[in-house]
Amino acid sequence: DALPISVGGPIIKNKLFFFADYEGERFHVPSTTQQLTVFTALERQGNVSELVANGYNIIDPTTGQPFPNNTIPTNRLSPAALAIINSSAYPTPATSAILQNSSNVARTETNDDQGDLKIDYAMSEKDHFMGRYSQSNLTNPTTNSYDYAYNPYNLTQAWNFVFGYTRTISANMINDARVGVNYVKIGQNHLSSNLPSNAVASF
């Protein structure tokens, strides 16, 4: 969806004029489903018998031999990894398969807001001034259906200002002077992070 609005006209007749515009866009991409492979209930306990039954060889790197009883000893498993895969935020298998046994639904949006304000002032027949300010803000969030997925939040923010003075010297000569400032902020953040600010680059 897009919503353009513009308005303009004289503030002081034949002297001071303004023009303003705004456009907002909202694009929601239909959700997509992707297949995932997550650890099964047995694999979360170090039991790799399901993998062995499907033709995978799980070898103990310290002995070069298969793990006894197809089970990796608990003291050989990373406590941090166990905490992750056994937490409520980690997806559980939706089928009995060992591969592509779960799914993720991702939704993406693109939201854009931008606008301009311009002022023109005819101080005299020979002297004209203008000023314009523009600003835009674009966000592109992606939301996944399980908590451990990284939910990127791309953003681009920009504003710029320009001031101009035009002097008519003669019928064949004018002098036009312009000065402006431009600022762009590009970054990315995580929708559910506790970061105090965005990771950004400014120009």
Side-chain angles (χ1 to χ4, degrees):
D1 297 329
L3 175 63
I5 299 174
S6 62
V7 61
I11 300 174
I12 300 175
K13 186 177 181 179
N14 299 327
K15 281 287 187 180
L16 185 62
F17 307 86
F18 84 98
F19 175 81
D21 69 85
Y22 164 81
E23 183 172 3
E25 297 179 332
R26 300 293 183 269
F27 298 105
H28 293 189
V29 179
S31 299
T32 58
T33 301
Q34 298 174 325
Q35 296 301 115
L36 300 175
T37 296
V38 298
F39 288 102
T40 66
L42 289 178
E43 289 172 343
R44 297 172 195 229
Q45 302 170 32
N47 187 327
V48 294
S49 59
E50 293 168 312
L51 290 171
V52 173
N54 281 270
Y56 294 91
N57 294 317
I58 312 300
I59 304 298
D60 185 343
T62 63
T63 66
Q65 300 296 318
F67 284 100
N69 301 316
N70 297 323
T71 300
I72 303 173
T74 304
N75 62 359
R76 299 280 298 279
L77 300 175
S78 165
L82 288 174
I84 291 173
I85 65 176
N86 288 302
S87 75
S88 59
Y90 187 84
T92 56
T95 69
S96 59
I98 63 171
L99 297 176
Q100 295 188 335
N101 51 13
S102 188
S103 61
N104 172 55
V105 179
R107 180 172 55 86
T108 302
E109 300 177 14
T110 299
N111 303 315
D112 185 25
D113 296 283
Q114 56 185 339
D116 307 277
L117 174 63
K118 186 173 185 290
I119 298 292
D120 290 284
Y121 176 51
M123 187 175 71
S124 66
E125 291 186 359
K126 294 185 176 182
D127 298 289
H128 292 78
F129 297 88
M130 63 79 64
R132 177 184 54 76
Y133 176 78
S134 300
Q135 183 171 326
S136 66
N137 182 76
L138 185 147
T139 59
N140 176 224
T142 297
T143 306
N144 294 285
S145 61
Y146 70 100
D147 291 338
Y148 270 135
Y150 182 77
N151 291 333
Y153 189 88
N154 303 307
L155 61 93
T156 303
Q157 296 174 337
W159 61 262
N160 62 75
F161 171 78
V162 62
F163 172 79
Y165 167 60
T166 301
R167 169 72 176 180
T168 301
I169 300 174
S170 68
N172 299 316
M173 183 180 296
I174 64 170
N175 181 58
D176 189 38
R178 298 288 176 96
V179 61
V181 178
N182 190 58
Y183 174 82
V184 179
K185 176 180 179 182
I186 301 174
Q188 185 183 83
N189 204 348
H190 191 290
L191 289 178
S192 58
S193 74
N194 293 318
L195 295 174
S197 61
N198 296 314
V200 300
S202 301
F203 304 92

